[in-house]
Amino acid sequence: MRYLPEPEHRHGTIAKTAILLINLAHRMLRQRRAVRRYLEQFLSDPRVIEIPRALWLPILPRLRAQFEAEEIGRSTPGSGPRRAPAEGAHREAGAIAAQPLRVAGPMPLTVDFAMRYGEPSIAGTLARLKSEGCERVLVLPMYPQYAASTTASALDQVAEFLRKTRNVPKSDW
């Protein structure tokens, strides 16, 4: 199947809505493979490194190894994985879900979070929300200001998911 099935809609009902909070990363610093995967995603993102790929790709492995050593070195034995970004996003999602939204009537609402790099991924979370029947998703990148390397990169991932799962025209943003 090329596209994920659309949630079933019943006329006369309010569409189930989701608010998706997006944070930058969730890293498990003591797991070398997770750090490597995070750095691979982050350092190969054209919104983060804006020089031509032909110039960038030859130095990527050496730089990734340097960052990997620094990240692993920051964790201390027994400290466990650093989860602060995910825990913060989880708290924010809970706080938003607890606030009553002023609408004309009852509105089925789900609040969730995803990480631009790492897990839970944007695509995985959007696919789950869609399978749970969410027809509308409000995407809120959780960055203090707009930047191509943060907000635009997160929105690129949302657009890529939509292109792969729905018949959405290709755009240049």
Side-chain angles (χ1 to χ4, degrees):
M1 176 183 303
R2 182 172 178 185
Y3 301 113
L4 294 176
E6 292 296 316
E8 186 177 325
H9 178 74
R10 292 192 320 262
H11 293 282
T13 62
I14 298 174
K16 186 173 180 182
T17 302
I19 297 175
L20 179 61
L21 309 176
I22 299 177
N23 207 333
L24 191 61
H26 173 200
R27 298 176 284 176
M28 304 289 282
L29 294 183
R30 291 184 47 195
Q31 297 177 2
R32 187 175 295 273
R33 185 174 38 193
V35 171
R36 186 173 293 137
R37 186 172 44 247
Y38 160 74
L39 289 171
E40 178 74 28
Q41 287 179 320
F42 180 71
L43 295 174
S44 62
D45 187 341
R47 294 278 193 171
V48 173
I49 308 296
E50 295 182 338
I51 63 175
R53 291 183 70 79
L55 298 174
W56 176 242
L57 288 179
I59 61 173
L60 178 61
R62 185 174 39 209
L63 189 60
R64 186 175 56 230
Q66 179 183 344
F67 277 122
E68 182 178 327
E70 290 174 10
E71 289 294 315
I72 299 262
R74 286 185 192 159
S75 66
T76 59
S79 67
R82 196 165 79 188
R83 292 179 170 260
E87 289 172 359
H90 195 294
R91 277 193 307 274
E92 290 291 326
I96 290 172
Q99 295 297 316
L101 296 178
R102 289 174 173 53
V103 293
M107 183 171 106
L109 180 68
T110 299
V111 182
D112 211 334
F113 70 96
M115 300 295 156
R116 170 56 187 96
Y117 306 106
E119 297 294 329
S121 70
I122 293 172
T125 304
L126 286 171
R128 184 174 43 74
L129 290 171
K130 189 172 188 175
S131 72
E132 291 173 0
C134 292
E135 295 181 43
R136 298 183 200 158
V137 178
L138 172 64
V139 177
L140 295 175
M142 302 295 287
Y143 311 116
Q145 72 279 330
Y146 175 85
S149 61
T150 55
T151 305
S153 180
L155 295 177
D156 285 348
Q157 288 297 298
V158 171
E160 183 179 327
F161 173 81
L162 292 174
R163 277 194 298 273
K164 288 181 178 179
T165 59
R166 299 187 66 183
N167 192 10
V168 176
K170 208 172 194 177
S171 67
D172 291 333
W173 62 276

